[in-house]
Amino acid sequence: MGALLTLLILEACRRTTGPVLPAVCVAFFLYAYYGGFLPISWPISHAGFDFSQIINGFYNDQSGFYGIPLDVCATYIVLFTIYGAVLDATGAGRFFIDISFATFRRSRSAPGRTVTLAGFLLGTVSGSGTATAVSLGSVAWPVLRRAGYPREQAGGMLAAAGIGAILSPPTLGAAAFIIAEYVGVPYLQVLLWATIPTLLYYAGILLAVEIDARRFGARPITVAARPAHTLLLRYGYHLLSLAVIVVFLALDVAPFRAVVYATLVAAAFGLVERAVSRRDPLDPEATPRSLPGALGEYGGELYRALALGVRAVLPVASVCAAAGIITSVIVKTGLGQSLADLLVAAARALATDPTAVLILTALFAAVAIAVLGLAVPVTASFIISWVVIGPALQTLGASPAETAMFIFYYAVLSEVTPPTALAAVAAAAITGANTVATMWQAWKYTLPAFLAPIAFVITENGSHLLMQGDLWSVVWTTAVSLVAVAALAAVTGGWIAGPATRSQRLLCAPAALLLLYLQPVAIGIGLAFLAAAVVANLITTRKHVAEPVGGPS
């Protein structure tokens, strides 16, 4: 039965996610079986296991198929996925896009701000970065094109906004539920840990949006949309189910119970909407239908939403089960600790100072997680990285919370990391842009999110970004990190108060890195670099403005 289940899981994973992860699982199986033949001097060699021992580990051990990831998938993830499908069936997705357009109205940076806000809101419905980028792009790309955004920049913006859906409370990606189980904390605690990093992520995108609007001379455009207050009064009930989740979690109600209640609230308000207006919320201009017809159609849509939600969880379920093959082999052979020791040893070969060793280990770990994420889905990347890279960081003093969130963010950000970057590929298909150029633009928009997680683990003050510590510590580290994000935006966008020269951007780069170190001396030096860049930019900008149209005489 164990061998048969192994084959079925590998085939299910192949059908839902492609051949890469099953191939990785087979490679780990072969390593478990033939690893005893490796030279004893190799750090990854082991005693070797026979077929029955390996299958028993998959089928019966807690680290195998029926471990924490699959348990979390069956308990939490499937319910949140169904909730998102029901929310979408009630017309919430259209409402989120409409309210985003209505909020910013007419200004040259309004289209970019709208994409950012809509991506954040739509993430509560889809729970997928790529799906959010596609849903948003079909509506927002014509607006961005009218505003004058080049195709690559628009695609990068859509991909970055889509990825933010996986990083943002109250419905984070599937790996967030696994974090809660691995670390042994309530899901609400994970939401709190994600709050400030989410703020930094969207601050980086909004700054990049403001810079691009000026660099490319984006035009103010008018989008036909009802006033925001009218939309909130008429369709604001879509936000109530999200509030139900947050309130119930704050009252220490189990997440699976909270999401069931939220799903019922969303479905009930959708029913009332149909009964009152008898219109399709996705097409408010449609002709009203009879009450039995409207309610009957709504029942059919709910049925399809439930079916869609169950089907949508199949890739996550197969990944969680297939990851049991990898984690079982890692645990039985001791490969995780061996690879963690190799990671630390590589850092110690380059440096002897403990702080430098920790920084190098974090950098190596970030690269390793990003590379792993190119081959396997986010959930599998997190599970594997937790077993392999987690021990290395915790050996050097990082707490389980800091380690888990570090791994989570780099696993998610692999979706915008070249050369695969699924979210960027999807966005490029919508805008008709060059795929590789779109990937690099998405990477530019998300750069602060690539660097901020390193701050979690390299200093004790980094834990304050996860809301660990007193209020003052959380406030000042957040403020300094926001300044660092602004410096990074200047580096990638080439704009401070005006167009930035290469030397000014080079000054901002060390400023951002030093500020993210979150130690007083480093912060002081970083602020000095940033101040020099700002002053130089102000001088060159004023000089450029003062020159006559024909240039200097």
Side-chain angles (χ1 to χ4, degrees):
M1 291 301 296
L4 177 60
L5 183 60
T6 301
L7 293 175
L8 290 173
I9 287 175
L10 289 174
E11 175 61 10
C13 191
R14 185 192 68 80
R15 293 189 184 195
T16 55
T17 66
V20 176
L21 183 57
V24 173
C25 293
V26 170
F28 271 85
F29 177 89
L30 296 174
Y31 167 72
Y33 191 78
Y34 291 107
F37 296 99
L38 295 174
I40 194 66
S41 59
W42 287 22
I44 61 171
S45 65
H46 58 86
F49 298 91
D50 61 29
F51 183 81
S52 63
Q53 289 175 311
I54 297 171
I55 295 299
N56 181 70
F58 295 166
Y59 195 66
N60 288 322
D61 289 356
Q62 189 178 6
S63 60
F65 297 140
Y66 300 105
I68 289 176
L70 192 62
D71 176 49
V72 169
C73 180
T75 308
Y76 302 116
I77 297 173
V78 65
L79 294 174
F80 272 85
T81 305
I82 291 173
Y83 164 67
V86 170
L87 200 63
D88 190 41
T90 63
R94 175 63 179 270
F95 164 70
F96 291 150
I97 292 176
D98 287 347
I99 194 67
S100 299
F101 278 107
T103 299
F104 297 109
R105 307 299 291 182
R106 180 182 171 85
S107 71
R108 62 181 176 181
S109 56
R113 297 176 191 170
T114 298
V115 167
T116 305
L117 176 60
F120 171 74
L121 294 174
L122 280 176
T124 62
V125 177
S126 71
S128 165
T130 303
T132 302
V134 171
S135 301
L136 181 59
S138 60
V139 177
W141 163 233
V143 177
L144 293 173
R145 181 173 53 199
R146 287 170 52 199
Y149 279 87
R151 296 178 184 271
E152 286 74 19
Q153 277 72 21
M157 187 188 305
L158 291 170
I163 290 299
I166 314 178
L167 303 174
S168 307
T171 52
L172 298 172
F177 299 97
I178 300 175
I179 290 175
E181 293 297 319
Y182 276 161
V183 182
V185 297
Y187 180 62
L188 180 61
Q189 184 64 58
V190 180
L191 296 185
L192 292 175
W193 291 344
T195 300
I196 294 176
T198 300
L199 173 65
L200 297 177
Y201 180 81
Y202 281 103
I205 294 180
L206 288 173
L207 285 169
V209 163
E210 296 295 332
I211 289 173
D212 281 355
R214 288 159 175 77
R215 284 181 59 203
F216 303 120
R219 298 180 294 274
I221 60 173
T222 301
V223 178
R226 283 176 284 182
H229 67 275
T230 302
L231 288 170
L232 282 173
L233 289 174
R234 181 66 181 83
Y235 301 106
Y237 62 84
H238 289 301
L239 300 172
L240 290 178
S241 60
L242 296 174
V244 167
I245 293 178
V246 175
V247 171
F248 277 36
L249 290 177
L251 294 175
D252 204 24
V253 175
F256 62 86
R257 189 183 299 273
V259 74
V260 168
Y261 290 147
T263 304
L264 293 175
V265 168
F269 273 99
L271 179 63
V272 172
E273 163 69 24
R274 293 300 177 87
V276 172
S277 69
R278 304 180 192 177
R279 297 177 185 268
D280 182 353
L282 300 178
D283 186 13
E285 304 302 323
T287 304
R289 288 155 291 186
S290 66
L291 180 59
L295 296 183
E297 185 172 340
Y298 181 63
E301 289 175 359
L302 280 183
Y303 176 82
R304 288 189 292 273
L306 292 173
L308 179 63
V310 172
R311 288 198 298 269
V313 85
L314 291 178
V316 180
S318 63
V319 164
C320 289
I325 296 175
I326 299 172
T327 55
S328 177
V329 170
I330 288 174
V331 171
K332 289 181 75 69
T333 62
L335 178 64
Q337 191 60 53
S338 299
L339 293 177
D341 292 341
L342 285 174
L343 197 66
V344 176
R348 286 176 173 161
L350 298 174
T352 56
D353 181 74
T355 301
V357 170
L358 177 58
I359 293 174
L360 288 173
T361 302
L363 292 174
F364 293 159
V367 173
I369 298 168
V371 171
L372 178 63
L374 301 179
V376 300
V378 170
T379 305
S381 177
F382 175 82
I383 295 169
I384 298 168
S385 299
W386 174 260
V387 179
V388 175
I389 293 173
L393 294 174
Q394 293 183 58
T395 298
L396 296 175
S399 70
E402 296 159 5
T403 301
M405 296 305 288
F406 174 90
I407 295 173
F408 171 66
Y409 279 100
Y410 280 105
V412 170
L413 291 168
S414 63
E415 287 210 14
V416 290
T417 304
T420 54
L422 295 179
V425 171
I430 291 174
T431 63
N434 178 276
T435 302
V436 175
T438 302
M439 289 180 186
W440 286 113
Q441 289 300 321
W443 189 84
K444 178 195 78 173
Y445 278 103
T446 57
L447 181 62
F450 278 91
L451 296 181
I454 295 179
F456 300 164
V457 298
I458 59 175
T459 64
E460 292 183 0
N461 291 330
S463 64
H464 301 323
L465 296 178
L466 302 178
M467 286 197 175
Q468 296 181 320
D470 59 87
L471 178 61
W472 167 243
S473 298
V474 171
V475 169
W476 78 257
T477 52
T478 302
V480 171
S481 299
L482 285 171
V483 177
V485 167
L488 286 171
V491 173
T492 58
W495 191 282
I496 302 178
T501 64
R502 180 173 298 179
S503 60
Q504 292 163 8
R505 296 167 73 177
L506 288 175
L507 285 172
C508 289
L513 297 177
L514 289 167
L515 288 169
L516 284 174
Y517 189 61
L518 294 177
Q519 291 288 10
V521 175
I523 292 172
I525 299 174
L527 289 174
F529 272 106
L530 184 59
V534 171
V535 170
N537 184 256
L538 288 172
I539 293 173
T540 55
T541 301
R542 289 178 179 176
K543 180 180 178 182
H544 177 74
V545 172
E547 289 176 357
V549 175
S553 56

